[in-house]
Amino acid sequence: MFLIMRFLGSVILFLFFTFSVHAKVKIITIGDSTMAEYDPSTTEKVGWGQTLSMFVLSDAATVIDDARSGRSSKSFISEGLWDASKAKISPGDYVLIQFGHNDEKTNVEGTGSTIPEFKSNLKMFVSETKAAGGVPVLFTPVVRCNFSGNKISETGRHITADGDYAAAVREVAAETGTPVVDHTELTRVLVEEYGETKALSELYASGDRTHTKMNGAIVFARLAASAFFAAIKSSALYFSSFSRSCFSYSRLVLEIQNQNIPNI
């Protein structure tokens, strides 16, 4: 009996330490200012990557927001930011990739990327994430609050004279077999539901049609989290008790309070 109990104890300890060491994964976000973290003492801007941790079980995963303001897929690579992010990847970690806002500025040297360049950069992120043992997930860029009538305009959906940058992300996903979240479409539906005036007032930073304030960052992150966990076919890291149809900021805040999720 003693030997049996000792064996069972060893098994339990092994499982405990195995789970403790390996269960918690990292969710690393790379992208531009719409995803980045900001100092609340200097600006009301809040990127959706900054609020993503509100929708992730803290004992299951850690969110690392490596997105940087003003960066494109090209400059994120050339400035060494990707190398720094890549060094953090351990097997089983997730890398959420969202670029496009600055890539489409093809007149800006060192930043703008043509569609072929953009796709090539995204494929590099994907292949190098996989090589490091990580799981890449592509995100199309969130919309700008640019309206034509009561609909988000082509520029708001990242369609320029050089091409459709959101479509390019979806193409890379299909060509590489990578999970993709159509954040452009999700945020388009949301922002159009609000309407231009209400969206600018409630979701975006003052005088800004690109960058969200806290309200907008929370609901954009909520959309991202729900679609991300659906894309990887897992709810193990996610506050699944949240309503999947929750688009209202006030309702979302109430649910956050009811779940005792810490504000940031």
Side-chain angles (χ1 to χ4, degrees):
M1 178 64 72
F2 172 77
L3 291 175
I4 294 174
M5 293 301 294
R6 186 175 180 180
F7 172 76
L8 290 175
S10 298
V11 170
I12 291 170
L13 285 172
F14 173 78
L15 292 174
F16 172 78
F17 285 112
T18 298
F19 180 81
S20 299
V21 171
H22 296 291
K24 195 166 185 176
V25 301
K26 295 187 289 293
I27 300 173
I28 302 167
T29 63
I30 64 170
D32 54 43
S33 57
T34 62
M35 191 193 235
E37 291 188 14
Y38 293 88
D39 181 349
S41 68
T42 62
T43 181
E44 67 171 335
K45 294 178 185 178
V46 181
W48 69 263
Q50 190 172 349
T51 56
L52 182 62
S53 60
M54 299 173 72
F55 304 97
V56 176
L57 291 169
S58 60
D59 58 350
T62 299
V63 177
I64 300 174
D65 188 1
D66 278 352
R68 292 293 181 272
S69 180
R71 277 27 175 224
S72 64
S73 66
K74 178 185 288 185
S75 61
F76 201 84
I77 295 167
S78 66
E79 293 178 18
L81 296 171
W82 169 236
D83 286 338
S85 295
K86 185 171 56 175
K88 300 174 185 177
I89 303 172
S90 299
D93 289 343
Y94 295 93
V95 180
L96 279 52
I97 305 160
Q98 181 177 277
F99 290 97
H101 276 85
N102 297 309
D103 289 271
E104 66 189 40
K105 300 172 183 177
T106 53
N107 62 322
V108 180
E109 186 176 353
T111 296
S113 306
T114 64
I115 293 292
E117 289 174 330
F118 182 50
K119 292 180 66 174
S120 177
N121 293 338
L122 294 179
K123 287 179 179 179
M124 191 191 80
F125 294 140
V126 166
S127 64
E128 294 189 357
T129 295
K130 290 179 178 178
V135 180
V137 182
L138 290 164
F139 281 69
T140 61
V142 298
V143 294
R144 289 190 176 91
C145 194
N146 295 344
F147 274 73
S148 177
N150 62 353
K151 301 292 183 182
I152 295 291
S153 68
E154 287 193 344
T155 59
R157 290 181 283 119
H158 308 285
I159 301 172
T160 73
D162 296 294
D164 186 332
Y165 283 80
V169 178
R170 294 191 295 270
E171 289 168 8
V172 170
E175 292 165 8
T176 59
T178 304
V180 61
V181 171
D182 196 343
H183 216 186
T184 308
E185 179 63 11
L186 292 172
T187 53
R188 179 195 67 78
V189 171
L190 172 66
V191 174
E192 287 182 357
E193 180 180 287
Y194 270 74
E196 183 175 15
T197 300
K198 187 177 180 182
L200 287 172
S201 172
E202 297 190 12
L203 302 179
Y204 288 87
S206 179
D208 199 322
R209 291 178 177 268
T210 298
H211 302 99
T212 51
K213 56 184 177 183
M214 180 62 78
N215 302 19
I218 290 174
V219 290
F220 280 18
R222 170 64 183 77
L223 293 171
S226 179
F228 164 50
F229 292 117
I232 64 172
K233 298 179 174 59
S234 173
S235 60
L237 312 178
Y238 180 53
F239 282 109
S240 56
S241 58
F242 274 22
S243 166
R244 292 187 178 276
S245 62
C246 183
F247 288 106
S248 165
Y249 172 69
S250 58
R251 180 179 166 192
L252 180 58
V253 169
L254 180 61
E255 293 196 27
I256 290 171
Q257 292 170 344
N258 288 341
Q259 291 293 326
N260 295 316
I261 300 171
N263 289 316
I264 59 173

